[in-house]
Each structure stands twice: as C-alpha cells, then as structure tokens.
Amino acid sequence: MSSAPHTVNDYKTDLKPVWCPGCGDFGVLNSVYRALADLQREPHETVVVSGIGCSSRLPGYVATYGFNSLHGRALPIATGVKVAAPNLTVLAVGGDGDGIAIGGNHFMHAARRNVDITYLMMDNEIYGLTKGQAAPTTPSGDRTKSTTYGNPEQAVDPCALAISFGSTWVGRGFSGDVKGTTELMKLAILHHGFAFLNLISPCVTWRGDDQFKALRAKLRAVPEGHDRTDRAAALRLTSEDDHLTAGVLFEEQRTTLVEELMEIRGRAGAGLARPTRGEILRSFAPA
Amino acid sequence: MSSAPHTVNDYKTDLKPVWCPGCGDFGVLNSVYRALADLQREPHETVVVSGIGCSSRLPGYVATYGFNSLHGRALPIATGVKVAAPNLTVLAVGGDGDGIAIGGNHFMHAARRNVDITYLMMDNEIYGLTKGQAAPTTPSGDRTKSTTYGNPEQAVDPCALAISFGSTWVGRGFSGDVKGTTELMKLAILHHGFAFLNLISPCVTWRGDDQFKALRAKLRAVPEGHDRTDRAAALRLTSEDDHLTAGVLFEEQRTTLVEELMEIRGRAGAGLARPTRGEILRSFAPA
Amino acid sequence: MRDLTLAFVGAGGDGAVAAGDIVASACASKGLHIIKTEAYGPQIRGGESSSTVRVSGEPIHAQSDAVDVLVVFSWADFGRFRDEIALADKAIVFHERGDEPPEAIASRTCFGVPFAALAREAGAAGAKNVLATGLVAGALGLPLDAIRSAIARRFAKKAPAVIESNLRIFDRGVLEAASLGPLALEQFTYETGTPKLLMSGNEATALGAIHAGCRFFAGYPITPSTEILQFLGEWLPKLGGSMLQTEDELSAIGATIGASFAGTKAMTATSGPGLSLMAELLGLASIAEIPTVVVNVQRGGPSTGLPTKSEQSDLFQAVYASHGDTPRVVIACSDVEESFHATVDAFNIAEEYQFPVIVLSDQSIAQRRQTVDEVRLQHEVRDRRYPGPEDLQDYQRYRSRPDGVSPMSVPGMAGGIYQTNGLEHDEQGRPSASFQVHEAMNQKRFDKLEAVAERYRLFHRFGAERPEVGVICWGSSVGVLHEALQKMGEEAGRVGVFAPIMLAPLPRHNMQTFIDSCDSILVVELSYSGQFHQYLLSQVDLPRQATSLYSRSGGKPLLASEIVKALQPLLVANRMEVLA
Amino acid sequence: MRDLTLAFVGAGGDGAVAAGDIVASACASKGLHIIKTEAYGPQIRGGESSSTVRVSGEPIHAQSDAVDVLVVFSWADFGRFRDEIALADKAIVFHERGDEPPEAIASRTCFGVPFAALAREAGAAGAKNVLATGLVAGALGLPLDAIRSAIARRFAKKAPAVIESNLRIFDRGVLEAASLGPLALEQFTYETGTPKLLMSGNEATALGAIHAGCRFFAGYPITPSTEILQFLGEWLPKLGGSMLQTEDELSAIGATIGASFAGTKAMTATSGPGLSLMAELLGLASIAEIPTVVVNVQRGGPSTGLPTKSEQSDLFQAVYASHGDTPRVVIACSDVEESFHATVDAFNIAEEYQFPVIVLSDQSIAQRRQTVDEVRLQHEVRDRRYPGPEDLQDYQRYRSRPDGVSPMSVPGMAGGIYQTNGLEHDEQGRPSASFQVHEAMNQKRFDKLEAVAERYRLFHRFGAERPEVGVICWGSSVGVLHEALQKMGEEAGRVGVFAPIMLAPLPRHNMQTFIDSCDSILVVELSYSGQFHQYLLSQVDLPRQATSLYSRSGGKPLLASEIVKALQPLLVANRMEVLA
Ligand SMILES: Cc1ncc(C[n+]2csc(CCOP(=O)(O)OP(=O)(O)O)c2C)c(N)n1
Ligand SMILES: Cc1ncc(C[n+]2csc(CCOP(=O)(O)OP(=O)(O)O)c2C)c(N)n1
Ligand code: SF4
Ligand code: SF4
Ligand SMILES: [Mg+2]
Ligand SMILES: [Mg+2]
C-alpha cells in the first residue's frame, strides 16, 4: 500500500470519454473519482466492471483495474471477481438497458445472493449507445427510435426492482448533483452487501437537452423520518406520484455471499487441515 | 368449433407421464384438464408452452397444441404465440428453476408487458429433472445435491416477485388440492392479462415424502377481507411468518400487450387502408 | 468522367453527412447509380463524421478505392478517417481556409475555401455543408437542378425561408466554383435515366421481409442491424403486423419461433453477439422444424469487437452455431438489392422446408445506401406446406416423407393438434431416447437439407468462361470482385468468379464444376482466420497446391486494387506454366 | 474366461444398480479392470434401470458389445433396454421365475429363479439384488470374499443386523448357484492385483481441476455434467475454494471469467445446451485473453435431444462457437483417466496462453465408472505468466511478444493496473476501431494458437506402424478402436489408429504424417453429419478418393464389432489393390 493519500487525479486514466457533450455520465464519473478518493480506495485493489452501453464505457476512464465486458454481463463477472478476491473493492456499473433488459436476471440473482459489491446504474431512460431505442425505463407512450407510435410497455422503477430482488442497500442519485451523488456512492461502497445506486443520468442526445431540467424537477429528497429499514415504506417512497426520490431508500444487514461461502468452508473443513491428495483419492478406493 | 361439450378426457393425450409416483405435478395436470374442460376451451385453440424440467413435461400430456421448449424459454415463445394469434388460449407452464433461475428475466418482462397468458409455475423448491440441486426457491440452509453444506442463498417468493414484476393477476395453489387449484386456474385463465399462478407441487423424490404434509401445513387461505387490488397488502400477505398464502393474492386491470399492439396498428394506419407496395417503396424515392 | 467519388468530412455539427445525402438523393433522382457510406468516431453525437458518395452512370458494385473530391471542414476531424479515405492521384481537396492540410495531402490540388465565412455571408452560418455542396457540384458538373430539388425536399418541413436561404447558399457555392479556374479533374458526365430508389441494405432486408409476408418481428437493438427493427416497427403495424422489442436476443428468437409456430411468418435480426446468444434456440427451431428467419448483420469481431465496421467473420457462427447435428440454411447477400432477394428466399425456404434460415449481411451492405431499380424488387413468394384433409386423418406432425418435409399444422387448426419439443421425438412428436428414432429423425432433417440443395442453387458466376484463375468469394466481397475485374481491363478475361449466395447447403455441384474448370483458385474473404476458406475445404474439393487465399481482418473494406494485386502473382504463375 | 460382462435390469426398487455397484467395487478392490455403465428410463424415480459391469483381468477400453450374464427382475422393465443390451451367443440369463423371457431371449440358456421368494425366505424381501449377486458370483466364480466386503461396506452405516442379513442373502445366492449344474459359460479367472480406484469421468475431471489448482467453479446443473458441480461443491470448500451455482450458464461462465480475471484458476462445466448459451462469453474470454476452462460433456443433440445418451456432435460448437475470429483451444478425453489429464492440460494451456479452453467429454465417459491406477493421476501443473518488475515498468496488458503471450497482472498487483474489454483494443487495452490495430491483435491472438500447437502435440497413436488402413477418431471412440483391434486378431496388424487429444489446434503435422503413411483412411465418429470428418477436411489433407467415413447418430454407444465390420471392405479393397 502506498502511503501518500490518493487525489481525485490518481483515479483518472488518460482516455478521453467518448460521451456526447453534456451527457449525464460525466457527472457520474466525477462522483466515482471523488468517492474513491474520499474513501482512499487503493486503485490497484479496486475493480470496476461494466457491461456494454455508453455508460459502460466508464471503467476505461477510471485508473483502477477495469473490465468493460459484454452487454448485460457485468454482474456475473463482478460476482466472480468478488468471490475470487474478497478483499477487493468491486464496483459494477452500466446502463438501464444493460442492467434491466438483457441483464435483468443477473441483477435479481446478484441482489438475492447479497454479493458484496456496489452496483451503479446510469439510468437515462433510453438505449444511448445504439442511438435511441426504448429501454425498460422509458416512460410508457414515449416515442423513440424503436417506438414510432409510442412505447407500448410499462416502465420499471429500478429502485423498486432492486428492493424486491433483495438488495440490502438501495439509493438514488442525480448525475447533475455531483456532490450529493458522491456521498451516496460512498455510502453504497461502504455498505456491507449488495448496494444498488440508481443514478439519474440524462441522455441529452436521445432524450433531449431538457432532460436535466425535466428530471431534476421530478426529484425530491427522501423525507425526514423515513425508516430506511422498512422495505414497504421504501417501496412506497421510491417513485410515488411520479416523483423520483433521491437519497438512501433502503438498507438492511444480511449475510453476504462471501460470508456464506466462508462459513461453508468452515463447515466443510470443520477446522481441520486441508485434505491431501491422498485423502481425496481415498474416497474412490473400493476398499 | 365442435358443439358437443368437451369432457376432461378430451384433454388427455395417450402419453403416460414420466413423473415419479406421488409427484405433485400429477395434481396440477388434473387441474389443467378440469379447468380447460370447465371453461370449455377448444383444444385446437389452446396452446400449452413449457420450458424444460419435470414439470415442463406437462404439455405432452395435454391434448391441445403444445410445445415443450427449452429450459427457461417458455415465456418468450408463449409471447410470440399470443401476439401472432391473439385468439388462442395460451398457457405457459414450468418449474421454479425454469421460471426463476434461467428464465427469470423473461418472467419479469412478460409480466411487465402484461402478455395475456396464464403462467403456471410448479414450485417444488428444487431442480427435479436434474436430480435434486438447489433452486432459487430452495429454503436457505437446506442440503441438496448441490448444497452439501446447506444452501447459502436466500430463497425467493415467486408470488412476491410476480407482483413486483407487474403481473396483473397473482395467485397460489396447492397441487394436493386439485379442486381448489382448478378454480384458481380458471380464474387465472379468465383473467385478462398476465396471470401468474404459483403451484406448490411437491417433489417427493428430492425433497422427501413428507413434502405434501410439510407444505400443506405451511399453507393458509387468503384471509377474508383481503383487498386483492392492494399491491402492498398482497406483498405483505404472500409469505408472511413463513406461511404460504393460497388463493388470489393480487389482481388489477391494465392494458395487455396485444391491446397495446392493436392500438399501435390503429394509430399507424390511422384508419386507412393497408399501404400498398408502391406506397412503401415511395418512401425510398428521391423525387 | 463517368464515375466520381466525393467525400465530406467534419465534426458533428458540420453537416458532412447531410451534404452526402443531398448529393446522393439528387443523383438517384436522375437515374444515376449511387453507393453512399458514412463513418463516425466513437462519440455518439458531436464527434467526427464522414460521408462518401460514389456516383456513376454505369452500374457500380462497391465503394471505390479512392476519393476524387474531398471536402474537409476540419483536419483534426479528418484524422480519425485518415486510414479509411484514400485519395485518387488527381484528387482535388477543398478545406476550410486557414486550416492547412497535413503534408500527405498537400501534394494534391488543394483549395482553401472560407466555408464558414461564405455561409455566414450568404445568411446561414450553419449551412457550410450546403455551400460546399454547391462548390463541388459547380466544379464537377453535377446536376444542379436535381440538387436544388433535393435541398428543397430536405427542408420541406421547415419554413419556406429556410429552403430559400439554403438554396441561396447552394448557389453561392456554385458561383464560387466558377472562380476556381480549370481543374485537372474531368467534369462528370452522365445520361439522365429513370429515377432510382435509394435505400440501405437493412431497409432492403426489411422490405424483403414485408414482401415475403413477414408480419411479426421480434428483436433487440444492436449495431449494425438496428435499422431493420426500426423500419419494421414503423411499417409492420400499418400492415396489420407487429414489432416487439424484447428484453434480449434469446427472447427475440424465442418470440419469433413462437409466432411462427402459431402460423405467422416471423423474423428476427441481430449482429454477431446476438447470433451467439441465439445458438441454443436456433437448435430448437431446427429439431422442432419451425420456420425461423434470422438476419445477422456482421460487424468486426470477435466479441464486441468493432461494432461499426464490417467483416465477414460470422460465417462459422452462422453455419455451425448450436450443439448437436443441427441442420440450417444460410444465405448471404452481396449488395443492397440482394438483401431484398436473400430475405425473400430465406422466408421461402424457411416456410417450405421448416428450417431456421440465417441471412448473412454485413455492415458495409447493411448501412450503405445504394440505388435500386424499383422493378427489380420482385420475387416469388412461397408458403408453408399445411396439412390437407388426408394429412389430418390421424395427423402426425413429423410423418416421414421422401423429402423429409412433413406438412405443418398451426394452432387453431382442428385435427392438427400436436405437442412438440426440443427433445428427440418420433413422427408424432413424442419424446424418445431411442437410437433408432434419433437416427431416423436426423436423417429426416438432413434429407430436407438435401432437398433444399437440389431445389435452390443460388450463386453468382461472372468473369471469364474458362478462367485461368477462379476466384471464390461471398457476400460483400462479390461487389469488390466486380470492381476488380473492371479495373483489370483485358487481364480480366483470364479471371472468373464464383460466389455462392447459399452458403449452407452450398451449391456444391456447380462450385465443383467451376473449380475443376480453373487452373488455380483464389479464395477472397474479409476474415483474419480465413473462415470461408476453411469451410470450403470441408465442403468441396479444392486443389490444395493450386489454391491460395486472400484474407485479412475487417475494419476497412476490401479494395478492388487489393484484389487486383492479389491476382497478379497467380496470373503470372499461370502464364509461366503455359510458357514452360 | 478373463473378460466378463454382467447386466442387471429391473424397476426402481429392484436394486439393479446397487448390484452392479457391489460387483464393480469388489472387483476393483482385487485390482481387476472395470467399466460400469447405467441406463435409466425417462422416469426420475421408480422407473426402469439397468447396470452393466464389465470385469477383466486385462486393461479394457470400452463397454463390451455383448452381455455374458444377464439378470432380469422383470421383463417389462427390460423392454426399454432391448435395443441397448445385446446378448453374447453363450450368454446365460437369470430371471424371476414365472416371468417368462421374450422369444428373442428364450433361445439363450435361461434360468427362472424365484429371486423375491428366496430373498424373503432369507430374511429381506427387498434384497433380491443381493441374492442375484450371490447367484452370479457363485455361478461365474467372482471373488466372493471381496463381494462380501463390498456388501459390508455398502451397509456400513446401517445396523449390524442389516449387514448380516444381506450377507446371509448373498450366501443364499451363492448356494443357489451350486444347484444350477455345469454352465456352457466358462468360469471367470483372474489374478489379484493392487486395488484400483473406481471413478466416473466427471469425477476424474473434477479431480483434474483440483489437481491443476482450480479453486473456483461456477456452474448450472445439466445432465450429464452435473456431477462435476456436485463434486466440486463438496470438495472445493475443503480446499479453501468455492463452488457457485449460478442462475444460468451465461452467469456461470461470466463468474468463471471474473474469478480468473481476479487471479483464481476457475472453471465451469456444462453440456451442449449450456455450451450454446456460453458462445458469446467464450468470445469475450478469447479477445480479453482470460484463462477460462469450460468442460462440455456431450449428450445426444440437437437441442435438448437425448439428454442421457452419448454422442460426439458438439464438436462444431466447441471448435466454432462465437461470432468473429475467435481462437480457442479444444481438448478431448477418451476415457475416465484421460478426463483427469485433459483437464489439467486445459488449465495449463488456459493459464499459460490466456485462452478459453474447452474440454470435450461425453456422457459415456463422464457417467461410466472405470478403474484407474492411483499412481497415474499425476500431471505437471503450469501457472499463469505474471508480469515481472520490468513488465510493470509502463505495464501494457497486451504488449506484443514473439509468441503473442503478454504477462497478465491481476487486481491487487500494484503497477499492473489496466482496463480491459471485449472491444478490439490496443496493446494497452484501450478500445480501438482501427483496422491496423485489429489486424495486429488478431495476429497476436492467433500467434498464441500457433505457439500452443508447437508446444502441445497431444494425440493417441496405436495399432500397426505402417498401416494399410489408418483410422482417425477422437474422444470416446478411441476406446472402441482399441477393442476393435483386439477383436480383429491378426488382421489388426494392418490397421493403425491416430486420435488427436487436442482438437484445436490439431496436431496437424503428426496427423498428416500418419495420413500420408496409410493406404486408405477411415474416419470414425458418433455424429450423424460427420462433424469430425468435415473438420478434418478443413484442417489436413485427406486423400479424397481413399478416405471413408463411419459415422452415425448417438443414443447407442459405438460397438467394436461395428468398427470391425466397417473396416472389412477397406481391408479387402486394399488387398485387391495389392493383388491387382
Ligand atoms: C448481446 C448484445 N446485444 C445488443 C448489443 C447492442 N447494445 C449495445 S449497448 C445497448 C443498450 C445501451 O443501453 P443502456 O444499457 O441503457 O446503456 P446507455 O448506452 O444508455 O448508457 C445495446 C442494445 C450488444 N452490444 N450486445
Ligand atoms: C440450458 C440448459 N441448462 C440446463 C439444463 C438442465 N436442466 C433441465 S431441467 C433443469 C431444472 C429443473 O428444475 P425446475 O425448472 O424447477 O423443474 P422441475 O424439474 O423441478 O419440475 C435443469 C437445470 C437444460 N436442459 N438446459
Ligand atoms: S448518446 Fe446519450 S447516453 Fe450516450 S453519450 Fe450521448 S448523451 Fe450520453
Ligand atoms: S423428480 Fe420430483 S418433480 Fe420430478 S417427477 Fe419425480 S417427484 Fe416429480
Ligand atoms: Mg440507458
Ligand atoms: Mg423445480
């Protein structure tokens, strides 16, 4: 471990983001830099895994270990990383399409297993990279490149899903608010278990320049007194009355996957020395 | 349409089920026969689609059109069938592994789209066909062929998931209660939209002979006065206090996928005649 | 000159692409032949873009190797395309005055033009692309009236003032051209003909589907195939059909199979990563014998690879995807028009023979715009073999027949009830683990493939009748071969080309006859590992000593000149043999 | 006789499988060679089952073609296996008295034995299988003491009374044998040797993984590979590793890739349908150069096919899965012991060369139990090439090297930070759509494949040194060829066998030398479409006129006698040529 504290710049690669000018993902990236620096996570002990999408380009811009993998597959890969090397700080990042369309099942199961990673979903209500088709988060009725006559499907609320899936920490931030988002991200990273942070991150190209304004208008803070351990309350709160509630919505403590696996090792070994080759082979001996 | 009423036997093929003696799926099959007969669904206008698993063998035993497809893929196929031929009665059937492990994402999206089909999930808390590995429904801590030291994962409640996914009808039945299940199945089929019926259908081979008794003991009926249009109440009810609540848990009316697509046709055509070849090609003419 | 290639390069707001569109549309309306391509940097908006338009009085088959007239709004943006845009020897270059060309370019005839300033002067600073269009059109003698109409059409939905100001700026550009003085480059000459349609390969594919009777499409967006989904999303509802954007590609092909099972002609479209995801369900369509059309628009691979570039490296995946012995049909298209025909053929074969049929296109065909004669967009449509009354007596879904094709009932059909599955099954569709049943059913399914091979012999054959060198290629390489032969002049008389349209099953007999008639063979393809060559070795008898391979990675289209160069040693070798 | 095959057939409760286990275990403890297989009807519990045990004093390589001693508890249950169980000419049959054998069987020496009644008499009605074991052992001269110990071991966890009663019943069976009188069948004779281990191919694969240092396994259950997951689920935690049962196969290979990226040797295992689902992620492992071991245990295909039967038809999927030019390594195993070695080799190659490596097994290897000598379960283990201090100066993950292999850092390693992806990328890992980069990186990846081909030349070569007929086969067919040659006696001196263990890249040079040394070639495989033959055509120079193919659908194992028959015409043809 190096002893000089890491600055925000230590987390920047020299790759210039390919995002459109004004894209919400810039704000998210800045929060990632700040959160990692604030928490002084060692770059070489941090891994950022993503899928495919505009948002999934993010790992290329963060000077930690990074893996921009396949569309929808960030979470299985991040799970493998975490189980193999539990001491690493593991962030999974990606888009709403990546995480809820093609990757929806992995989202459910990673949350259910309480894999101890932080999952940042950059939610722009659209498929950005493929140039503007409807995502599962696109409001019903909206016209997009793939919904000429208006989106026939009901939009999902990623936070509500995350809670139903069994995430043990669920929050929402807004890429326009780098400071607030940074704080949320730090809480998410510090949370012990599967932390899901929904980041409203406007796509100015396919959803229009007014998205920052429009979405900001929908945001409201978690009301004081919200009991974040109350799942039903969190569900009610997340997107009531067409509002988007920002802040920490839900939190609970539950054994993480890695803890479960460690316990299993304990039970399997029953405190004994590792079995030798001979011991393993003996189970095949007929006598 | 034939005019003589269909009897239960009209829905039986001459294939003998390969299920183990005492398997819960026999009860479900009987309910399917009865429900179809009670509702007088024309066999040739009914399609039963399944994935792969013991339970997914069911379409082979029902003398309607049937498709025992791939592990996890019943719902996409059933969706295609329904959209292509909206007048058909379409049932999707399968196991808990099929529907929640490998097929979980399709479950979410079929529910969200409110595809007007009936989805019967035979829930035995195990992978039957592959001889006894843990399913997402297997209680945490249970030993199975794949969880030598106890299941490290949290079990899901299929009904809670179904509600969170946006199913517009959610119920639970018990294969040991053929009559009650038949009635639920009829309601599910009659429901206009995506109806999910969780069927507790014990696997006597890999979960033990006592499963009928053990699961029956956990069952309780939906309490009188439950407002089935109240999503939060339904969620609370489905598996509170380690009980399994049987009956209709949730119901709402929402435009179905087919209705949405029909509306789109209307909007696209704006009541005009279908475009001719010439009209379509004209959009490519430079002049 | 009768064959001219223009390129416009700039940043997002510069309108390079629009300039190309205007020229292309205008020339198509005059009945000229057009191939137009675009390229972009990785940025979704505001990044670099280039638009290249080839215009010709004669039929053309590929992009040209080099650009005759280059318009560059900013050399910084040009950087990204440096490797992709080659300049003809006599090329002329127009660039923003003051932004001096890099050395490699400066040797060409370059004109610094104050695009921005002139446009501002003429009333619309943003319209420097229209100004450049006028400049180029004036300088080269392009049809000014047609371009004016094209501009008017382009802004038809805007206020009349916008149209007017753009036309004014265009004229300003034409005027500017007059001041350039005589150019080394000849003027463009042409005869006016019947207006042509201008469409992309993806659009032609979608039109083919509509023509064939496809009324259900399920898909998941993926570059460079997404336009098919978008086009059908717009048109199918008008035709009483539906487009469904699914949650992923597994669901897309699943819904396609379901719709087809239920009696509707159905299709999905994707690119390599999606095709890989569809492998398992392709096998289901094959064993359950459900007509299923899958369009795969190839991009650079492996994995996510080069999503916006072309390559011919999904051949293996198309031909071999899915475990087990899984017969399927694979058809390739070699240009925009053929995208239409290949798709109709795909439906015809899928429906008649109850196969999954994969149509292989690639980015260079799918996303280029090319002129097509409306009258040629016709193609016989064939339908599913439904059971007749006799079949419905004791109906057996998979009853054996000489050609392996059993009539297929659909839900709703009384008497046609069956239960099918992806397990091996007997003639009635009942699951079976019997070796005899398995062998018989494998045979049934492969018999169908034989039947397809006998009925359909789809290939291109051009060039010399008794070739010294026989070239075998497929897909988008075919156009390049056309161009190469044209370039070769007399030497072309010694080269013949055979290009299968149906890749699986191959028109083996015809191909073998061709091979046997050549002194040597050159296989041409855009795949690093030479997938096509390997595939051919497994299917036909290639003379090992006399066969060579020209293949390389995609990312840059094959050039006619590359092929000409690759042919040289073979032609020399043959000549030496003759002399010896 | 020194080579004996017994089969027990009955319903679920009859204990046919247990009987086979007892005999196999007893004989293995005597150092005899065993191959034991089981078969079941489609019912999960209570359906028909059969257990076949081949016992021999000499090494054996496959199931035998025919059964010498058949025990049938119920002829109704036997029906399902009629096509799978052939009887030797001199076979003797024991069946439940009163349940008369079908005609086809009645011609053999049949004994009606009141199994149920005798067992009931001896004190445990359910133990008729133990009774039958005693009967067979007594009649054929199997090692009674060893069987008694095996019975005792089997019930070790039960009450002593249970053991006793079973031993009593066994003895009753032995006694009953004495009353049969002399049999046409010779007594089994053998020498006692060092006890052997008895394990399935799946277990050997799992052991190989453990031996190689695998400490992470992610998988999704699928027949016939599930035992690998189950075995590793039990043992990895004891070894400080983890098994993760994922939600599907995409997640399984995804987690495997993630774990390997993070520095842990990792593996997944599946069968055809799962391999199809993994196609896209295989490509990711290839382009991102992440060591990834995938075991694929083949079953009958296509699609869900025949899940409990064997076939060699996933070859195409193993060799070609994934779009784009996607190098990977494929290794096959031909028996239980080789499952161990192939898996260690797979890890060695995956780790050293940063490839996805597919191990191809099949149901017949994976689920049979076979004897293995403990001393042979050794294999050199090689590790990943990590970057040294010099590499970490300005570390570039994909820096080019002569053999294409760049040292790979892992998270946690200071100075080794990189960001990778499935896009084409440069030496640093940065995404690039440049043709030059793509070509260079394709070359890098395929250079590694060349390096593997040079370093590893894995194949079997046996039979005649200068063969008239050269047989080429792979995987589970290899054992059948061993048996066939043994069956052929002197004629075997004219037949040689070459069987690649590494299927991709093939040991081309050695194979070509072999081919060139033969007068004619017979390719043998268990795939309807002859996948291996097609693949060979694409990779080596097979003499078209002098090559023939013996291939058929799976569902029934290849028999030695089939091969002998297939060889006859070739041997005759060659002789005639010699005569001519
Ligand atoms: C298997 C596969 N299918 C489809 C694609 C094409 N694709 C790339 S990104 C994307 C969706 C992007 O949307 P999202 O995940 O929301 O990310 P965003 O670009 O909006 O940040 C799609 C469909 C792909 N790369 N791989
Ligand atoms: C792609 C794929 N993966 C795995 C399998 C193996 N498989 C068949 S059924 C099954 C699970 C069965 O469990 P469930 O869906 O709950 O059905 P059940 O047998 O319990 O009724 C599995 C893993 C398969 N057939 N295909
Ligand atoms: S397309 Fe949208 S999401 Fe993608 S970079 Fe541009 S603004 Fe951002
Ligand atoms: S294994 Fe279980 S689920 Fe399958 S048939 Fe037997 S009892 Fe039913
Ligand atoms: Mg998005
Ligand atoms: Mg189950």
PDB file of all heavy atoms in Angstrom, chain A residues 95-97 122 124-128 135, ligand 5:
ATOM      1  N   GLY A  95     -25.666   0.661 -17.792  1.00  0.00           N
ATOM      2  CA  GLY A  95     -26.888   1.372 -18.152  1.00  0.00           C
ATOM      3  C   GLY A  95     -28.140   0.674 -17.667  1.00  0.00           C
ATOM      4  O   GLY A  95     -28.102  -0.443 -17.149  1.00  0.00           O
ATOM      5  N   ASP A  96     -29.247   1.349 -17.896  1.00  0.00           N
ATOM      6  CA  ASP A  96     -30.534   0.777 -17.523  1.00  0.00           C
ATOM      7  C   ASP A  96     -30.898  -0.382 -18.448  1.00  0.00           C
ATOM      8  O   ASP A  96     -31.451  -1.388 -18.010  1.00  0.00           O
ATOM      9  CB  ASP A  96     -31.625   1.849 -17.522  1.00  0.00           C
ATOM     10  CG  ASP A  96     -31.530   2.794 -18.708  1.00  0.00           C
ATOM     11  OD1 ASP A  96     -30.531   2.755 -19.464  1.00  0.00           O
ATOM     12  OD2 ASP A  96     -32.471   3.584 -18.918  1.00  0.00           O
ATOM     13  N   GLY A  97     -30.547  -0.259 -19.706  1.00  0.00           N
ATOM     14  CA  GLY A  97     -30.813  -1.358 -20.623  1.00  0.00           C
ATOM     15  C   GLY A  97     -29.946  -2.553 -20.272  1.00  0.00           C
ATOM     16  O   GLY A  97     -30.418  -3.688 -20.160  1.00  0.00           O
ATOM     17  N   MET A 122     -26.519   3.748 -14.402  1.00  0.00           N
ATOM     18  CA  MET A 122     -26.739   5.056 -15.013  1.00  0.00           C
ATOM     19  C   MET A 122     -28.000   4.990 -15.839  1.00  0.00           C
ATOM     20  O   MET A 122     -28.039   4.398 -16.911  1.00  0.00           O
ATOM     21  CB  MET A 122     -25.523   5.447 -15.854  1.00  0.00           C
ATOM     22  CG  MET A 122     -24.378   5.927 -14.964  1.00  0.00           C
ATOM     23  SD  MET A 122     -22.773   5.901 -15.764  1.00  0.00           S
ATOM     24  CE  MET A 122     -22.192   4.301 -15.210  1.00  0.00           C
ATOM     25  N   ASN A 124     -30.775   6.469 -17.966  1.00  0.00           N
ATOM     26  CA  ASN A 124     -31.099   7.581 -18.866  1.00  0.00           C
ATOM     27  C   ASN A 124     -32.391   7.348 -19.619  1.00  0.00           C
ATOM     28  O   ASN A 124     -32.703   8.038 -20.586  1.00  0.00           O
ATOM     29  CB  ASN A 124     -29.931   7.853 -19.832  1.00  0.00           C
ATOM     30  CG  ASN A 124     -29.555   6.600 -20.606  1.00  0.00           C
ATOM     31  OD1 ASN A 124     -30.261   5.600 -20.554  1.00  0.00           O
ATOM     32  ND2 ASN A 124     -28.457   6.660 -21.338  1.00  0.00           N
ATOM     33  N   GLU A 125     -33.113   6.319 -19.198  1.00  0.00           N
ATOM     34  CA  GLU A 125     -34.423   6.015 -19.781  1.00  0.00           C
ATOM     35  C   GLU A 125     -34.350   5.728 -21.273  1.00  0.00           C
ATOM     36  O   GLU A 125     -35.325   5.929 -21.997  1.00  0.00           O
ATOM     37  CB  GLU A 125     -35.406   7.161 -19.515  1.00  0.00           C
ATOM     38  CG  GLU A 125     -35.559   7.471 -18.021  1.00  0.00           C
ATOM     39  CD  GLU A 125     -36.618   8.518 -17.733  1.00  0.00           C
ATOM     40  OE1 GLU A 125     -37.022   9.233 -18.659  1.00  0.00           O
ATOM     41  OE2 GLU A 125     -37.047   8.596 -16.569  1.00  0.00           O
ATOM     42  N   ILE A 126     -33.206   5.228 -21.734  1.00  0.00           N
ATOM     43  CA  ILE A 126     -33.053   5.003 -23.180  1.00  0.00           C
ATOM     44  C   ILE A 126     -31.835   4.124 -23.426  1.00  0.00           C
ATOM     45  O   ILE A 126     -31.014   3.941 -22.527  1.00  0.00           O
ATOM     46  CB  ILE A 126     -32.863   6.365 -23.909  1.00  0.00           C
ATOM     47  CG1 ILE A 126     -33.141   6.271 -25.423  1.00  0.00           C
ATOM     48  CG2 ILE A 126     -31.457   6.931 -23.697  1.00  0.00           C
ATOM     49  CD1 ILE A 126     -34.589   6.359 -25.772  1.00  0.00           C
ATOM     50  N   TYR A 127     -31.764   3.558 -24.608  1.00  0.00           N
ATOM     51  CA  TYR A 127     -30.529   2.937 -25.076  1.00  0.00           C
ATOM     52  C   TYR A 127     -29.722   4.031 -25.764  1.00  0.00           C
ATOM     53  O   TYR A 127     -30.061   4.456 -26.866  1.00  0.00           O
ATOM     54  CB  TYR A 127     -30.812   1.831 -26.100  1.00  0.00           C
ATOM     55  CG  TYR A 127     -31.423   0.575 -25.522  1.00  0.00           C
ATOM     56  CD1 TYR A 127     -31.710   0.446 -24.170  1.00  0.00           C
ATOM     57  CD2 TYR A 127     -31.695  -0.517 -26.340  1.00  0.00           C
ATOM     58  CE1 TYR A 127     -32.257  -0.716 -23.650  1.00  0.00           C
ATOM     59  CE2 TYR A 127     -32.246  -1.682 -25.832  1.00  0.00           C
ATOM     60  CZ  TYR A 127     -32.526  -1.775 -24.490  1.00  0.00           C
ATOM     61  OH  TYR A 127     -33.064  -2.926 -23.985  1.00  0.00           O
ATOM     62  N   GLY A 128     -28.669   4.480 -25.102  1.00  0.00           N
ATOM     63  CA  GLY A 128     -27.881   5.552 -25.683  1.00  0.00           C
ATOM     64  C   GLY A 128     -26.997   5.065 -26.821  1.00  0.00           C
ATOM     65  O   GLY A 128     -27.075   5.552 -27.947  1.00  0.00           O
ATOM     66  N   ALA A 135     -35.846   1.732 -23.604  1.00  0.00           N
ATOM     67  CA  ALA A 135     -35.309   0.872 -22.547  1.00  0.00           C
ATOM     68  C   ALA A 135     -36.480   0.475 -21.650  1.00  0.00           C
ATOM     69  O   ALA A 135     -37.574   1.036 -21.768  1.00  0.00           O
ATOM     70  CB  ALA A 135     -34.249   1.633 -21.750  1.00  0.00           C
TER      71      ALA A 135
HETATM   72 MG    MG E   5     -29.529   3.672 -20.964  1.00  0.00          MG
END
